[in-house]
Amino acid sequence: MNVVEIEGLSKMYETGFLKKKRNLALDGLDLQVKGGQIFGLLGGNGAGKTTTIKILMSLIFPTAGTARVLGRDAADVAMHSRIGYCPESPYFYDYLTANELMDYFGRLFGLDAAARKRKTDELLTEVGLAEKDRGRQLRKFSKGMLQRVGIAQSLINDPELVFFDEPMSGLDPIGRRDIRDLIAGLRAKGVSVFMSTHILSDTEALCDDVAILRAGRLAASGKLGDLLAKDDAGRSLIVEVQGVKADEIRGTVEFIGGATLEATPDGANITILDESDLDAVLAVIRKAGGRLTRVEPAKLSLEELFVRDTSA
Amino acid sequence: MPEQNFLSTIYAVARNAFREAVRDRVLYNLIVFVLLLTAAAIFLGELTAGQEARVVTDLGLSATLIFGVFIAIFVGVSLVWKEIEKRTVYSIFAKPVSRSNFIIGKYLGFCVTLLFNTLVMAVGITLALLYVGGTKFIAGVWPAAYLIFLEMTIITAVALVFSSFSTPALSALLTFFVFVIGHFSSSLRDLAQAMGSEAAVVFFNVIYYLLPNFSLFSVISNAAIGQHPPASMLGFATLYAVAYDIILLTLATMIFRRRNFK
Ligand SMILES: Nc1ncnc2c1ncn2[C@@H]1O[C@H](COP(=O)(O)OP(=O)(O)OP(=O)(O)O)[C@@H](O)[C@H]1O
Ligand SMILES: [Mg+2]
């Protein structure tokens, strides 16, 4: 079942009072997200990730198109009892303590006092908010502490589906690990996750399906693995060598069946199009006195995919 | 997931709105009020022999009105605007909270704050009257304070409507105009009638019927001469205020519902 269905979604922002400036943030976006997995919405700054999520939360209204969440219209208030959301750089009532905020939000879902207390303790522990900080007013919280509270509050109702807009932003390495574990744990519990990010290592570590946005349009989508494998149609290999001067062997290497060579600080990375060329390349390296350090299948790195798909 | 009904949502929002007002030190105005009243009770007596009770009543109720209006305007305009500006609405509206229930909750929570504020002031005036021996004025103070509270609920609702489409500064200014004009609209209408100008009559009639008529709620000068309003007047004022509040809240909700949160 699809947890999110977006069809022909467009959003035009109009700013300025007298001289209206128009900005098309989403341009006919189509997107389906399957349940039971971690979905990653990728894209550079200003690609339209936050805009998409805000429409799904019905915080803003689309100029055209439809957005459905859990089979309901995004504006259906009752459906909201089944989802969670942590905004980008979240900000909460700064006169409340973390405990009070969780309690207030628990009330909005109709949880009784015991359940509110239990979920508050459980979730604040899970996001790694120190016990001594839980009774402090949020105005005294750092960005990363607020981010943790933001993640915790989004789970107070045991949602079926959660939306995280850049969940790792502002977190230190330990916080990132905590939240990464938490998100992976959600999937294990059968919760669907829809997250936006431009941190590629998190995407690689967590996401099943991804979609890449570029200027409000879908640039690519599918299984992360498929997207990465897409371009190395053959059985290309990357051969990493050290202890050679790249320029000295370039001529010989690039003579071998379409191999390409890229200089590195202490050697070279050679891409060959077929495994059968490996012996020839190794012979050249040995002759030049180089050392083989790695051979691996030429997968497009997510960085490359991302840059190519967002800047073209 | 337990069933959530809209009343408990409104209650939760209202409860938090009250807490917000308390933590943002809105009630600190009471300290100033009490100091003012104490000073009046102690020092004025020497200047106005035999008139202390009248002065305490007049001064106390006027201060209740002015402080109350001031708070209603300034907190009222930022009540919802601040939540949009600081983006606290994001996490609220991703939860099963409708925009109308949120506005109603914020409004009611703040009205409870105003009620509490007015209550403490009325108690203060009562104590001051006991101190200066003006027991017979007390019966007039409480209905007057109640009417002031009703007036403030309308002013808050007006502020809410303006702030749903304009900036807090402009909203505060416009709300203040409504407050001033609302106090004089019935006199202005009478004046226009006396002048006999057709255009003026129409104009001031429009203002009279469009803007709230706050003269319905002003009995301070009556209280200051020991009178108290009949129950029928209190009843009518209550109905009038509640009807006005409902209309204004509906209007604010209709505007707020279509808003995109930046
Ligand atoms: N409130 C707004 N008013 C006007 N334009 C806006 C508004 N919010 C976003 N935009 C514009 O819409 C486009 C998409 O913005 P959006 O915030 O969705 O990007 P994003 O992918 O979340 O970027 P980031 O990675 O920086 O968070 C941008 O060009 C941005 O300038
Ligand atoms: Mg964003």
Side-chain angles (χ1 to χ4, degrees):
Chain A
M1 197 202 77
N2 287 338
V3 288
V4 171
E5 289 176 319
I6 291 172
E7 271 169 41
L9 201 64
S10 294
K11 177 65 185 178
M12 173 86 82
Y13 286 110
E14 288 188 0
T15 47
F17 189 63
L18 295 175
K19 224 176 113 193
K20 280 235 188 316
K21 282 208 182 105
R22 287 151 171 263
N23 182 356
L24 191 60
L26 287 180
D27 184 7
L29 180 68
D30 291 307
L31 189 64
Q32 269 80 40
V33 178
K34 286 200 279 297
Q37 60 159 355
I38 300 175
F39 172 81
L41 187 62
L42 312 183
N45 292 132
K49 303 181 295 295
T50 298
T51 302
T52 307
I53 294 181
K54 279 167 74 178
I55 292 176
L56 289 170
M57 298 297 103
S58 94
L59 294 171
I60 55 177
F61 303 106
T63 314
T66 57
R68 297 178 73 77
V69 178
L70 295 175
R72 310 287 190 87
D73 190 90
D76 178 353
V77 174
M79 173 271 292
H80 285 207
S81 60
R82 297 160 57 199
I83 63 171
Y85 167 52
C86 177
E88 180 177 28
S89 317
Y91 191 84
F92 302 106
Y93 302 101
D94 55 13
Y95 51 86
L96 296 183
T97 68
N99 280 329
E100 287 168 342
L101 183 85
M102 296 289 285
D103 184 76
Y104 174 30
F105 286 174
R107 282 171 192 267
L108 295 179
F109 286 103
L111 300 183
D112 62 39
R116 295 199 300 268
K117 174 89 177 67
R118 183 173 50 77
K119 289 302 288 180
T120 299
D121 292 344
E122 185 184 304
L123 288 167
L124 291 179
T125 305
E126 208 171 338
V127 297
L129 189 74
E131 208 140 338
K132 66 173 169 52
D133 293 326
R134 297 180 194 174
R136 287 172 67 203
Q137 288 193 346
L138 297 174
R139 68 173 97 239
K140 291 169 192 146
F141 273 34
S142 70
K143 184 165 156 30
M145 287 159 76
L146 277 179
Q147 184 70 33
R148 290 167 195 247
V149 173
I151 303 272
Q153 62 84 29
S154 71
L155 300 171
I156 189 139
N157 56 325
D158 289 315
E160 295 165 39
L161 166 66
V162 270
F163 294 84
F164 294 134
D165 198 349
E166 311 215 358
M168 309 292 181
S169 82
L171 294 177
D172 60 19
I174 297 168
R176 285 174 64 165
R177 195 200 57 205
D178 287 349
I179 300 303
R180 208 185 256 203
D181 292 349
L182 182 145
I183 294 176
L186 287 173
R187 174 176 48 195
K189 278 188 275 185
V191 178
S192 312
V193 178
F194 182 117
M195 61 184 265
S196 85
T197 180
H198 39 214
I199 302 180
L200 303 156
S201 57
D202 294 331
T203 316
E204 282 177 315
L206 287 172
C207 296
D208 303 299
D209 281 1
V210 298
I212 300 181
L213 285 188
R214 184 208 306 150
R217 293 175 194 239
L218 196 63
S221 69
K223 284 243 167 299
L224 186 56
D226 294 347
L227 285 185
L228 295 179
K230 206 156 141 190
D231 274 20
D232 51 324
R235 286 163 295 139
S236 310
L237 294 176
I238 292 183
V239 181
E240 186 186 282
V241 292
Q242 288 182 354
V244 289
K245 288 231 168 9
D247 287 338
E248 286 173 7
I249 58 169
R250 187 187 298 277
T252 345
V253 166
E254 293 195 338
F255 198 65
I256 304 166
T260 50
L261 181 141
E262 199 184 317
T264 59
D266 44 8
N269 285 342
I270 301 164
T271 308
I272 54 177
L273 296 186
D274 199 278
E275 207 183 316
S276 59
D277 294 334
L278 186 59
D279 287 339
V281 170
L282 287 180
V284 175
I285 293 165
R286 296 227 172 79
K287 212 169 132 206
R291 204 155 29 85
L292 176 69
T293 45
R294 194 150 52 117
V295 179
E296 62 174 12
K299 256 171 72 179
L300 203 56
S301 85
L302 188 50
E303 269 87 352
E304 284 165 340
L305 179 74
F306 189 63
V307 168
R308 192 194 58 184
D309 275 320
T310 53
S311 61
Chain B
M1 212 31 26
E3 262 306 299
Q4 173 68 337
N5 74 54
F6 75 98
L7 285 177
S8 44
T9 305
I10 292 175
Y11 171 72
V13 175
R15 186 175 171 278
N16 195 55
F18 179 73
R19 186 157 55 180
E20 174 180 5
V22 172
R23 300 233 172 127
D24 285 348
R25 306 187 171 87
V26 169
L27 298 175
Y28 275 28
N29 76 96
L30 289 171
I31 296 173
V32 181
F33 179 84
V34 167
L35 288 177
L36 189 79
L37 212 61
T38 313
I42 294 172
F43 299 115
L44 281 179
E46 299 169 11
L47 303 171
T48 53
Q51 297 278 301
E52 300 99 319
R54 196 188 64 76
V55 174
V56 164
T57 306
D58 201 347
L59 186 89
L61 287 173
S62 302
T64 304
L65 177 66
I66 292 167
F67 281 44
V69 166
F70 190 79
I71 296 171
I73 291 180
F74 284 99
V75 180
V77 294
S78 65
L79 208 55
V80 169
W81 186 86
K82 195 169 79 184
E83 298 236 4
I84 299 174
E85 200 55 25
K86 291 195 165 179
R87 296 185 292 115
T88 44
V89 284
Y90 280 29
S91 40
I92 295 288
F93 290 125
K95 297 183 167 51
V97 179
S98 70
R99 294 190 181 192
S100 52
N101 286 347
F102 178 72
I103 292 218
I104 295 168
K106 288 285 293 194
Y107 175 76
L108 291 180
F110 182 57
C111 284
V112 170
T113 316
L114 289 172
L115 183 64
F116 181 79
N117 207 52
T118 316
L119 214 63
V120 173
M121 290 181 169
V123 168
I125 299 170
T126 305
L127 291 177
L129 283 174
L130 288 176
Y131 175 79
V132 299
T135 331
K136 72 179 172 65
F137 286 83
I138 294 174
V141 165
W142 284 87
Y146 172 67
L147 291 173
I148 289 172
F149 164 70
L150 288 182
E151 178 172 344
M152 288 187 301
T153 66
I154 300 182
I155 289 174
T156 306
V158 170
L160 208 56
V161 170
F162 284 133
S163 72
S164 60
F165 62 84
S166 73
T167 62
L170 185 61
S171 304
L173 194 68
L174 292 173
T175 310
F176 183 70
F177 282 156
V178 170
F179 167 70
V180 173
I181 298 171
H183 266 278
F184 295 113
S185 66
S186 69
S187 325
L188 287 173
R189 188 177 71 145
D190 295 345
L191 186 71
Q193 236 128 30
M195 288 189 325
S197 148
E198 190 76 22
V201 171
V202 172
F203 178 73
F204 286 110
N205 258 311
V206 168
I207 288 189
Y208 178 80
Y209 286 109
L210 203 62
L211 299 186
N213 176 11
F214 289 133
S215 56
L216 276 177
F217 303 96
S218 343
V219 292
I220 296 180
S221 42
N222 304 62
I225 52 170
Q227 293 177 344
H228 60 89
S232 62
M233 180 198 167
L234 293 181
F236 177 72
T238 306
L239 287 180
Y240 182 88
V242 169
Y244 234 106
D245 290 342
I246 290 177
I247 292 170
L248 290 171
L249 276 187
T250 310
L251 200 62
T253 309
M254 275 161 46
I255 303 169
F256 191 60
R257 241 192 218 134
R258 295 157 208 258
R259 267 199 76 152
N260 284 296
F261 300 123
K262 55 154 202 128

